Amino acid sequence: MIVTTDEQKKALRAAGKILAGVLSDVGAMVKDGVSCAELDLAAEHAIRTRGAVPAFLGYTPAGSAHPYPATLCVSINDEVVHGLPHAEKILRNGDIVTLDAGLSYNGYFVDAARTLIVGSVVQFETTGEKSLAPSTADPQAHKLVSATHEALQGAIAAARVGGRVGDIGAAIVRVARKYNLTPVEELGGHGVGESVHEKPFIPNSAGAGEGEVLKEGMVLAIEPMLAEGKGAIILDKDQWTYRMRDRKRAAHFEDTVILGKNGPEVLTA
Ligand code: MG
């Protein structure tokens, strides 16, 4: 959607704040032995008690035959997105876990994702932000997660009114190369605001200056995914979970932003 009124902006900010709180609550539950189904139930509870509605639950994306059966996507290690939160999927120390959720609040939709390492705190270079206690147990996992976070910050900074969607993809590629990682280019970000998925498509790999022009008021879900391997994906037998074809690990961060005249405003931080 294109935001044209202050009321729309206020409503989107309220929705974004709720989603940030939900992901923080569910993120705090991430520890060894917790099942993905527990996280999913907690996410649904956290959304509904805040007066919002899960956006993924019952949503049928374009090209899919069935509605998504859960509130949360939980994608572990070589799973990159849309991981189904099965009860049999149990988190283990050292797992790279992405929590992805969408919600609507008063009719406005936002979408965001965070990647954590079970049992470990990731220190983000760019913001000094922490996600859980320092560990050097798996430096590659820490590099993957903090680089993907940096890719999101770079991608958001590149989302400027009058620029192009390709500028966002180019910023992601730049960070991926810096860390010798690969963007997952078959998937990308999207417009959001009035529904879960809107135009335009936001590439995770592109050349600067390519593609659609970014307009003032656009509401965008920007969501870089970086992989340790070649970056190609396959759809799992469950028909939802996308995993890396070479079974290497991937990470994913996402925020919803409004493109303002003076730069992007992050709604879900
Ligand atoms: Mg999304």
Side-chain angles (χ1 to χ4, degrees):
M1 71 179 282
I2 304 261
V3 170
T4 54
T5 69
D6 277 346
E7 286 66 35
Q8 291 172 329
K9 210 178 271 186
K10 278 183 197 151
L12 283 159
R13 281 180 188 141
K17 198 173 170 195
I18 290 173
L19 183 51
V22 167
L23 287 174
S24 167
D25 283 6
V26 179
M29 292 175 61
V30 165
K31 51 172 86 75
D32 187 83
V34 171
S35 80
C36 294
E38 287 173 73
L39 299 178
D40 179 59
L41 277 178
E44 181 170 4
H45 181 77
I47 289 171
R48 294 198 193 279
T49 55
R50 286 165 165 94
V53 179
F56 297 171
L57 183 63
Y59 174 71
T60 306
S64 177
H66 304 285
Y68 189 72
T71 294
L72 189 67
C73 299
V74 187
S75 305
I76 304 177
N77 296 330
D78 68 322
E79 300 173 352
V80 55
V81 290
H82 305 171
L84 276 182
H86 301 294
E88 310 80 61
K89 262 166 71 175
I90 310 288
L91 303 185
R92 291 300 171 209
N93 277 332
D95 282 345
I96 295 176
V97 180
T98 303
L99 307 175
D100 187 350
L103 61 78
S104 67
Y105 184 64
N106 293 330
Y108 290 92
F109 288 76
V110 290
D111 188 358
R114 313 274 187 258
T115 298
L116 307 169
I117 301 175
V118 180
S120 187
V121 178
V122 181
Q123 186 86 49
F124 298 134
E125 302 293 333
T126 41
T127 58
E129 220 178 298
K130 288 178 185 174
S131 77
L132 279 175
S135 163
T136 50
D138 186 348
Q140 290 304 318
H142 282 253
K143 184 183 87 165
L144 174 64
V145 175
S146 68
T148 309
H149 183 267
E150 187 176 326
L152 175 61
Q153 305 317 313
I156 291 170
R160 314 289 300 193
V161 171
R164 304 257 177 178
V165 295
D167 301 347
I168 299 171
I172 295 168
V173 170
R174 212 173 302 131
V175 176
R177 288 210 180 118
K178 178 174 157 190
Y179 294 99
N180 200 20
L181 297 164
T182 315
V184 177
E185 59 183 30
E186 292 164 77
L187 301 169
H190 49 92
V192 64
E194 284 168 337
S195 67
V196 184
H197 287 116
E198 301 174 17
K199 287 180 178 172
F201 177 73
I202 311 288
N204 279 336
S205 173
E210 290 175 1
E212 209 169 310
V213 175
L214 298 170
K215 299 188 189 83
E216 185 177 348
M218 273 183 167
V219 184
L220 302 176
I222 298 177
E223 50 178 323
M225 299 148 209
L226 299 188
E228 290 180 326
K230 292 205 169 80
I233 53 169
I234 47 166
L235 185 60
D236 198 84
K237 284 194 295 280
D238 68 18
Q239 295 296 305
W240 285 106
T241 310
Y242 281 105
R243 64 173 81 238
M244 305 314 300
R245 188 178 285 275
D246 56 14
R247 299 292 155 102
K248 305 276 182 157
R249 300 179 297 187
H252 171 214
F253 280 89
E254 176 176 26
D255 275 316
T256 298
V257 306
I258 301 176
L259 297 193
K261 211 182 297 174
N262 302 313
E265 176 183 345
V266 181
L267 301 174
T268 48

